[in-house]
Amino acid sequence: MITAIDHDAPVVVRRDITIDAPLQRVWDLHTDVPAWPAWQSDITAARADGALVPGAVFHWSTFGLDIDSTVHVVEAPNRILWGGPAHGITGLHLWTFHEENGVVRVHTEESWDGDPVRADIEGMRAALDGSLGAWLDHLKKAAESA
């Protein structure tokens, strides 16, 4: 059973953001996979075959990559972990959400491993860091404007 990212992977990126919105709104936006393209401009398609529960698979496309992600852990509305292989990269992505004094702190960390990652560790780290930063910025904008 997978319960965390791979801390020994060649690429691990961590990011945080504070969102001035209720926790449930942030969680609902983040876990409504089919609605991602409406607020997350880097995602061109997304669908889930059911609720995001451990073992569920959802499908999404970003930057020309089609990705099938499996949900490993859900502790609504505070924690979700998903991951899987995509184009030679094995990714694991953990999100945590904590509300304090009316704002939500979102922490994300993701690990990448695989031949494409090992062939260009710094380039892949930069790409992942940029992607996570953009995702958090889009989530903040969507949650605060709702």
Side-chain angles (χ1 to χ4, degrees):
M1 177 177 182
I2 298 171
T3 60
I5 67 164
D6 179 358
H7 295 283
D8 296 323
V11 170
V12 174
V13 174
R14 293 173 180 86
R15 285 292 203 107
D16 295 275
I17 200 164
T18 300
I19 300 176
D20 188 9
L23 175 60
Q24 195 62 51
R25 179 186 306 156
V26 176
W27 177 262
D28 289 349
L29 273 168
H30 188 72
T31 58
D32 184 0
V33 172
W36 285 355
W39 60 267
Q40 170 54 282
S41 60
D42 298 328
I43 296 176
T44 54
R47 70 179 172 81
D49 298 327
L52 294 187
V53 296
V57 177
F58 61 92
H59 316 275
W60 52 296
S61 299
T62 185
F63 297 104
L65 301 175
D66 294 325
I67 302 169
D68 298 326
S69 293
T70 300
V71 177
H72 298 290
V73 176
V74 177
E75 297 167 6
N78 299 107
R79 185 172 186 260
I80 188 165
L81 171 70
W82 68 63
H87 307 275
I89 298 170
T90 299
L92 288 168
H93 200 162
L94 175 66
W95 296 86
T96 57
F97 306 81
H98 298 285
E99 187 171 30
E100 188 173 318
N101 298 323
V103 297
V104 177
R105 180 177 174 268
V106 180
H107 174 76
T108 186
E109 53 187 53
E110 186 168 357
S111 61
W112 279 4
D113 201 350
D115 290 341
V117 177
R118 292 176 183 273
D120 182 14
I121 291 172
E122 291 310 312
M124 290 292 196
R125 182 176 289 115
L128 180 55
D129 185 62
S131 175
L132 294 182
W135 190 310
L136 288 171
D137 288 344
H138 291 307
L139 182 60
K140 178 179 177 74
K141 181 179 177 185
E144 291 180 352
S145 66

